[in-house]
Structures are given as structure tokens and as C-alpha cells.
Amino acid sequence: MKNMPLIILAGGLGTRISEETYDKPKPMIKIGNIPIIVHLMNYYSSFGINNFIICLGYRGDYIKDYFSNYFIRNSDIKIDLKENKISILNKIKKRWKISLIDTGQNTMTGGRIKRALKFIGKNQNCFMTYGDGLSNVDLLKEYKFHIKNKKLCTIMGVSPDARFGELVVNKTEVLSFKEKISNSKSIINGGFFVINKKVEKYIEGDQSIWEKDCLPMIVKDKEICCFKHDGFWQPMDTLREKNLLEELWKNPDCPWKLDI
């Protein structure tokens, strides 16, 4: 599992939180002075996942600039103007390998995944998630669950409010995928996936939407299972949710806060 890559979708416009995204991509919105995508990468890294494939689109240059200067941004430095030299005084402990892939300004979620899968080995499994949501899901358990069930796709199922697409589940097998949920006990797509490279056959091209076009086809072929998560999960679709995550981050027992 430690050598598995993580695909992060980071190219959307983030129109529902336009107060923050008019000049930067949504995954770069800061929670406690740290971009939410870095919170996400820290969390995966705590499980030994250090190979990141970030799918860029809207303001992809912003993300490239951030990670290109990551050492400078996050280190103590010494600047010698006479010698025209910058020295790093303390080494960052990160073991990350980051691939920043331009997947197109107008490409849909399925299309971005298809482009990223070009960098995944034949028959290889990888993690996949959106760059704007946080959770305390046990990734090791989800991976073992994926291997045990021998499906092409494992989706993390959660039970929040009634504004997301519903998963109809029988034990672990996903039976259908509905656009809106019908009651508060429904299970919805929590966005933390384990997928096999073979899912690319369900993605036609750049305009394929993972949630509306691809997942229903994978369900039809009985190649998807649901890993139910009862713990913390919070997307960041609105300014209210961004502020909620800010308040949680200030708390010592913040659900996704890690000492790494």
C-alpha cells in the first residue's frame, strides 16, 4: 500500500465558494493558514501514501507555483545577497513525490481521472479523492476492504445531509447510484476512493462526469463496493463549511489533525 499513488482532483472552478476562488483554485483555500489540499496530503502521508498525482485545471499555475516553492515557503532560509545564494537552514521531513498534471480547463471529473490513470501501472490500484474534503477515514482498512472484495472500485460511504447523490447498498455491494438522497439515513459518496486502473474503460473522454456517467456503469457491471465510514467527513463547498473547518482546526482534538 505504501507505494500506491493518490490521484487528487484539483481542477474545478469552485463556483459555490466564489468568495475564495476568484483568484485561486479551490484546493488552495487555506484552513488554518494551510491549503486544504496540503491537509489532505498530510493525512494520506500518515498512512504511508507519498506519491501524489494532482489533476490541474482552473488556475493550475497557482498550484504549480505553490509546490515549486514549497521548500522556501515552509523552511527557515538564509539569503546571501553578495553571493547571490539562498540556503535552506532546516530540512523538511516530507517524502512526497508530486506530479502536477494539466488535465484541461474544461475537462470533467471523469476526464481528469482518465488522464491521470496514464501514470498508473497496468492493473495497479490507487487512491483517488477530491481536493476539497477532509475525513478521518481509516485508509488502511479501506484498502484491505478493497482487496478483499475484488472490485474495480471501492467508494467510501457516509451519511450526512440530503443534498448529495445516494448510494443504494446491499451489505457491501453498491446496487444503484441516485442523484439525490431520500432520507437522512441514506448513504452518499464520501469521495475517498480506491480504484483500479481498469476503471478507465468506463470513462469515454474529457467530458465524462465520474459521478453521473462513470459510476452508474461501474455499478451496472457490479464492479463497485461501499466502505462505510461512520466517523468525521466534511466537504468544503461553501464559505460556511470553510469557516466550520477553520473552527475545527483550532481545536486540539481536530478529527484530521496529525502530528507528522
Side-chain angles (χ1 to χ4, degrees):
M1 176 174 137
K2 289 187 177 182
N3 294 321
M4 283 176 59
L6 165 65
I7 295 172
I8 305 177
L9 301 181
L13 293 175
T15 54
R16 286 186 287 181
I17 190 170
S18 58
E19 303 95 332
E20 294 277 348
T21 59
Y22 70 95
D23 66 341
K24 59 180 172 289
K26 190 178 177 185
M28 296 305 295
I29 295 175
K30 292 183 178 181
I31 305 297
N33 208 36
I34 301 171
I36 190 170
I37 194 172
V38 176
H39 284 278
L40 193 63
M41 293 163 74
N42 278 332
Y43 190 77
Y44 273 87
S45 184
S46 72
F47 287 86
I49 307 302
N50 293 298
N51 182 8
F52 304 104
I53 302 172
I54 302 178
C55 300
L56 306 179
Y58 171 68
R59 291 305 312 271
D61 58 314
Y62 196 110
I63 298 178
K64 286 181 179 179
D65 288 346
Y66 178 84
F67 284 109
S68 295
N69 295 291
Y70 192 85
F71 275 108
I72 300 297
R73 292 174 182 273
N74 294 278
S75 300
D76 296 328
I77 63 173
K78 179 180 179 181
I79 301 174
D80 188 330
L81 296 179
K82 181 179 179 181
E83 299 294 331
N84 193 27
K85 184 172 63 175
I86 298 177
S87 303
I88 305 294
L89 300 180
N90 58 325
K91 291 185 178 181
I92 297 174
K93 297 179 180 179
K94 305 293 186 189
R95 303 178 66 180
W96 295 354
K97 293 181 179 180
I98 306 170
S99 300
L100 301 168
I101 311 302
D102 185 357
T103 55
Q105 178 83 17
N106 300 312
T107 304
M108 298 292 103
T109 49
R112 295 191 195 282
I113 294 168
K114 190 176 184 71
R115 292 200 189 193
L117 287 172
K118 294 178 182 178
F119 301 91
I120 304 297
K122 185 178 180 181
N123 298 327
Q124 185 180 4
N125 291 315
C126 66
F127 288 97
M128 189 276 287
T129 193
Y130 306 97
D132 59 358
L134 297 169
S135 176
N136 65 350
V137 59
D138 190 320
L139 297 170
L140 178 58
K141 286 185 178 179
E142 184 179 15
Y143 171 71
K144 289 180 177 179
F145 180 87
H146 176 79
I147 298 300
K148 178 182 177 181
N149 284 277
K150 300 179 180 179
K151 303 289 187 182
L152 295 184
C153 178
T154 295
I155 183 171
M156 184 188 82
V158 295
S159 300
D161 61 45
R163 60 189 177 90
F164 299 93
E166 178 184 7
L167 301 174
V168 179
V169 179
N170 178 19
K171 294 184 178 178
T172 62
E173 184 180 354
V174 177
L175 301 179
S176 67
F177 190 87
K178 298 180 181 179
E179 190 170 348
K180 295 292 181 179
I181 71 174
S182 55
N183 61 70
S184 60
K185 294 183 180 180
S186 296
I187 302 171
I188 67 103
N189 169 14
F192 286 70
F193 294 85
V194 183
I195 59 176
N196 186 275
K197 182 179 174 69
K198 291 180 181 179
V199 300
E200 65 184 347
K201 68 183 180 181
Y202 295 98
I203 308 172
E204 185 175 341
D206 281 355
Q207 295 308 303
S208 295
I209 301 173
W210 174 250
E211 302 79 11
K212 292 184 179 180
D213 300 324
C214 310
L215 286 181
M217 289 193 291
I218 301 174
V219 168
K220 184 178 179 180
D221 284 352
K222 298 183 178 181
E223 282 291 352
I224 185 169
C225 56
C226 176
F227 178 77
K228 296 179 183 178
H229 174 59
D230 296 323
F232 173 80
W233 173 80
Q234 180 61 57
M236 188 187 65
D237 288 327
T238 65
L239 186 59
R240 181 188 68 82
E241 290 172 335
K242 185 258 187 186
N243 292 335
L244 171 62
L245 289 170
E246 283 274 11
E247 289 303 313
L248 288 171
W249 181 246
K250 296 175 184 177
N251 198 314
D253 58 354
C254 172
W256 74 91
K257 186 175 288 187
L258 301 163
D259 184 19
I260 58 174

